Amino acid sequence: MKDCESGQNRKKETASSSGAATCGRSVILGVGFDRLTQAEAAERILRAIDSGSPSPLFVVTPNPLMVSDALRDPDLMRIINGADLVLADGTGILSASRRLGDPLPGRAAGIDTAFDVIKELPRLGRSLFILGGKPGRAAEAAERLGRLIPGLEVCGTADGYGGLSDPGLPGRIASLSPGLLAVCLGSPKQEKWLDENAGRLGGVGAAVCLGGAVDVWSGRIGRAPGLFIKLKLEWLWRMLREPSRLRRLPDLVRFRLATRKKSPD
């Protein structure tokens, strides 16, 4: 199915009464997901970075909890469906797409897709800006990524607390013209910040909402062990590591029930 040419066109042409984007997307509870593998998503982002577009490619990475939040928050639903790329972050999204009879080609986890892009930034001669995390965490992430990726330039960082209080932050980021802006503020804060400030980020190649990626890149929080990944239980690992997440378990149950396979008529 042919993709829409831009997120701006999507905003004008593809919003239905439920807020769902339909152009080239698989719709799950009103949220439209682009039919892309991780490799295809990374390539799409890299093309945008290399194109010199005057405005950033807006990328969001919803998981089942974000979809649940969007059902209660029309503004978040609008922002997600108006993004240039909506990537399936989580096996729960893939499973739901299969149950609903419109399967996605594969998972495009935000942190993994972004890392694939970041590895290519030196080749493109572009830099990275990291926004989010506790004070000092983004700088730690920048230092660690610099050790992992030879030639990577991190042109700037800002934390998700005092850094956001600077009204000149979007202009400062724009002046640095990073190829990739990693917005790691947690949902829905990151999506709403980017939606509000996208028009002030001219010169940025792509902006991706990445939740807790800054904590992983800094080495403060590890990825799930291989067994959890193999069994598609990364969500359980995160809940065990951060018990406060357990309060969202009912939302996961409701998401599963809402996307159960429909019985034939």
Side-chain angles (χ1 to χ4, degrees):
M1 189 177 294
K2 185 177 179 181
D3 291 324
C4 292
E5 294 298 321
S6 71
Q8 291 299 321
N9 287 340
R10 280 200 185 99
K11 290 174 186 177
K12 294 176 182 177
E13 298 172 3
T14 65
S16 71
S17 59
S18 65
T22 58
C23 182
R25 290 178 167 177
S26 177
V27 179
I28 299 173
L29 302 184
V31 173
F33 289 85
D34 286 288
R35 305 170 194 276
L36 298 173
T37 65
Q38 181 175 310
E40 290 168 341
E43 180 58 31
R44 186 78 64 83
I45 296 168
L46 287 166
R47 286 205 308 267
I49 291 171
D50 201 32
S51 71
S53 172
S55 59
L57 189 80
F58 192 144
V59 185
V60 295
T61 58
N63 58 24
L65 290 178
M66 276 185 64
V67 173
S68 298
D69 289 340
L71 289 170
R72 295 187 290 262
D73 184 343
D75 195 39
L76 180 60
M77 181 72 80
R78 173 190 63 79
I79 293 169
I80 292 174
N81 284 327
D84 296 302
L85 284 182
V86 183
L87 305 181
D89 190 306
T91 56
I93 296 297
L94 295 187
S95 298
S97 72
R98 289 193 294 267
R99 290 193 298 271
L100 295 172
D102 191 6
L104 289 160
R107 181 184 179 192
I111 188 170
D112 296 326
T113 304
F115 190 73
D116 288 347
V117 171
I118 292 169
K119 288 189 295 185
E120 297 298 320
L121 290 178
R123 176 178 63 82
L124 297 179
R126 300 298 300 270
S127 60
L128 169 68
F129 192 103
I130 304 174
L131 169 61
K134 296 179 180 178
R137 195 65 55 85
E140 292 175 5
E143 181 180 355
R144 190 162 178 264
L145 286 172
R147 294 197 302 268
L148 291 172
I149 304 173
L152 176 66
E153 177 191 357
V154 181
C155 63
T157 64
D159 66 68
Y161 293 81
L164 288 183
S165 66
D166 176 10
L169 178 62
R172 179 165 71 88
I173 294 172
S175 71
L176 296 169
S177 297
L180 182 68
L181 168 61
V183 186
C184 308
L185 303 173
S187 181
K189 187 175 183 180
Q190 59 195 8
E191 290 82 17
K192 293 187 176 184
W193 183 90
L194 189 52
D195 178 64
E196 181 180 348
N197 292 286
R200 303 167 61 194
L201 293 171
V204 176
V208 187
C209 296
L210 292 170
V214 67
D215 294 316
V216 175
W217 290 339
S218 69
R220 296 291 187 126
I221 295 179
R223 297 292 298 274
L227 179 61
F228 280 78
I229 295 174
K230 183 178 180 180
L231 296 176
K232 301 179 180 179
L233 293 174
E234 289 176 89
W235 61 270
L236 178 59
W237 171 257
R238 288 194 293 270
M239 286 189 171
L240 293 174
R241 287 292 303 270
E242 301 175 65
S244 62
R245 290 177 177 266
L246 288 171
R247 62 183 175 80
R248 298 301 308 271
L249 189 56
D251 283 324
L252 290 177
V253 173
R254 283 191 288 269
F255 175 86
R256 177 63 177 80
L257 292 174
T259 59
R260 64 188 182 275
K261 187 175 181 180
K262 301 295 189 297
S263 300
D265 293 332

